[in-house]
Amino acid sequence: MHDVVHLSGPVLAGPADLRPEAWIADGRITFRRPEAPPATTLRGWVLPGLVDAHCHVGLVPGGAPDDAAALAHARSEAAAGVLLVRDCGSPTDTRWLQARDDVPRLVRAGRHLARSRRYLRGLAHEVDPEDLMEAVVAQARAGDGWVKLVADWIDRDAGDLAPAFPPAVLREAVSAAHAEGARVTAHTFAEETIDHLIDAGIDCLEHATGLQERHLPRLAEAGIPIVPTLVNIATFPDIAAQGHAKFPRYAAHMRALWERRHERVAAAHDAGVRIYAGTDAGTVIAHGRIADEVAELAAAIGPAAAVDAACWAARGWLGAAGLAEGDPADAVVVREDPRADVGTLAAPLHVLRDGQRIAGAAEAAAV
Ligand SMILES: [Zn+2]
């Protein structure tokens, strides 16, 4: 038995479902005042725990860190108000983190799969096209219902971005994952890769910087979401500057993709494509930047849709509970209405998992 906690509210049970207050009893949300008086009152706007729909726990430049570093990644996400992570590929077996109750819940994709010598060294499991299907089946069994592919990368011979796998290979690989009951997502920067991935029956697109007008109705109709990872796309000008001397076409391509980033996400949103917030933390991006990603998304699609992309909608997509009566009290408390001021997400006052406070900037205010 835990003490009853009073959430003085307002409580955003849904993006447009505003409740004046709520309580936590036995680690669960209730909108009916419990008989026992609350031991604690937490003041502020309450919403379901945030979702980082694309990050990498237990991944650092060069590969796998030790368990202490993986735990620190998860704790940084929690400190930012994230209580659900979709891990988009990690060389570390992080299943032990799923047994802890002081870190975000973790949905793992196992190791990401890249084509041999076509990705950052040491991060992914690298395969030749003829071995992709077998590797996908293995990762489908190792992960929590997701498989992550690196579908394009710089082709040094061509001097530009290029698809990593032939379309027929992608189709077989996605079908094989589906037969295992897993969904497949793919890192993609280049335009034509998106055609191949949609044709293959992909379930989600990561980054999707190559998004064109022709893709939008197909993504909307098939219900294929994008996770734009705009805080990561912000690094494209640096990547372009580093590659410019040796690969000028690639550098120009990356710069052009960066320039259209907000326009592209806005067009996708207007076309009815689902968008979720992910930071891509794990190599160049530090963990705990979900508020920055929401702010970037807000610049493209407005604050209310941006918060939804990191909260209610993302939780629903990943099959997680929200804040309905009886749901686990995975909640974040912030100072203002985040739909009006997304900046308030940058400093969560309280971060609660199963009703227990695991992070937050404010001291718990006892009444
Ligand atoms: Zn990533």
Side-chain angles (χ1 to χ4, degrees), residues 54-56 59 88-89 112 119 148 187 206-207 229 232 279-283:
H54 179 147
C55 75
H56 305 271
L59 176 72
C88 268
H112 34 346
Y119 195 46
K148 164 78 178 300
H187 159 115
E206 310 298 321
H207 321 300
T229 68
N232 182 27
T279 62
D280 204 10
T283 48

Side-chain angles (χ1 to χ4, degrees), residues 288-315:
R289 293 195 53 197
I290 194 66
D292 294 335
E293 181 64 19
V294 173
E296 279 284 321
L297 287 171
I301 62 177
V307 178
D308 200 19
C311 192
W312 310 275
R315 298 185 73 90

Side-chain angles (χ1 to χ4, degrees), residues 130-150:
E130 61 269 28
D131 299 323
L132 181 64
M133 198 167 83
E134 198 183 320
V136 160
V137 170
Q139 292 309 318
R141 292 174 183 173
D144 304 324
W146 283 96
V147 175
K148 164 78 178 300
L149 306 179
V150 179

Side-chain angles (χ1 to χ4, degrees), residues 46-364:
V46 181
L47 61 158
L50 302 179
V51 179
D52 190 340
H54 179 147
C55 75
H56 305 271
V57 173
L59 176 72
V60 292
D66 59 15
D67 285 356
L71 179 60
H73 294 165
R75 284 199 166 133
S76 298
E77 293 288 338
V82 169
L83 287 165
L84 178 63
V85 161
R86 186 179 62 135
D87 187 283
C88 268
S90 174
T92 314
D93 184 343
T94 51
R95 276 176 276 204
W96 60 276
L97 279 171
Q98 294 173 317
R100 295 185 69 114
D101 58 9
D102 59 347
V103 293
R105 296 179 204 274
L106 188 59
V107 175
R108 297 163 38 259
R111 290 204 71 169
H112 34 346
L113 299 172
R115 183 162 179 173
S116 300
R117 297 173 299 283
R118 289 285 302 280
Y119 195 46
L120 297 166
R121 197 189 298 252
L123 267 51
H125 178 52
E126 298 189 5
V127 294
D128 291 322
E130 61 269 28
D131 299 323
L132 181 64
M133 198 167 83
E134 198 183 320
V136 160
V137 170
Q139 292 309 318
R141 292 174 183 173
D144 304 324
W146 283 96
V147 175
K148 164 78 178 300
L149 306 179
V150 179
D152 53 33
W153 198 251
I154 186 172
D155 177 339
R156 287 177 175 76
D157 297 329
D160 200 355
L161 290 169
F165 297 102
V169 170
L170 280 181
R171 270 201 303 278
E172 283 177 6
V174 173
S175 298
H178 288 171
E180 293 289 329
R183 289 186 274 185
V184 184
T185 192
H187 159 115
T188 173
F189 288 167
E191 293 81 355
E192 64 175 315
T193 316
I194 295 181
D195 297 288
H196 300 174
L197 290 167
I198 299 172
D199 289 344
I202 198 78
D203 300 290
C204 182
L205 299 175
E206 310 298 321
H207 321 300
T209 51
L211 213 55
Q212 302 294 298
E213 203 62 44
R214 67 178 184 273
H215 300 133
L216 301 180
R218 298 190 69 195
L219 294 175
E221 274 160 35
I224 302 167
I226 62 170
V227 182
T229 68
L230 291 171
V231 292
N232 182 27
I233 305 313
T235 67
F236 277 22
D238 289 342
I239 296 171
Q242 286 161 22
H244 183 78
K246 222 169 157 189
F247 303 110
R249 267 182 64 201
Y250 168 72
H253 197 171
M254 294 296 275
R255 248 182 247 112
L257 294 174
W258 172 76
E259 277 165 5
R260 288 190 56 244
R261 64 201 184 285
H262 290 133
E263 182 191 324
R264 182 173 57 241
V265 172
H269 180 65
D270 290 346
V273 178
R274 292 184 290 156
I275 294 168
Y276 300 118
T279 62
D280 204 10
T283 48
V284 291
I285 304 299
H287 283 275
R289 293 195 53 197
I290 194 66
D292 294 335
E293 181 64 19
V294 173
E296 279 284 321
L297 287 171
I301 62 177
V307 178
D308 200 19
C311 192
W312 310 275
R315 298 185 73 90
W317 174 54
L318 294 172
L323 286 182
E325 178 74 28
D327 281 346
D330 285 12
V332 58
V333 183
V334 293
R335 214 173 285 278
E336 310 288 344
D337 181 349
R339 301 166 306 171
D341 173 12
V342 296
T344 195
L345 297 176
L349 302 174
H350 308 284
V351 182
L352 309 168
R353 181 175 156 172
D354 291 314
Q356 297 295 302
R357 191 170 185 278
I358 63 169
E363 290 306 312

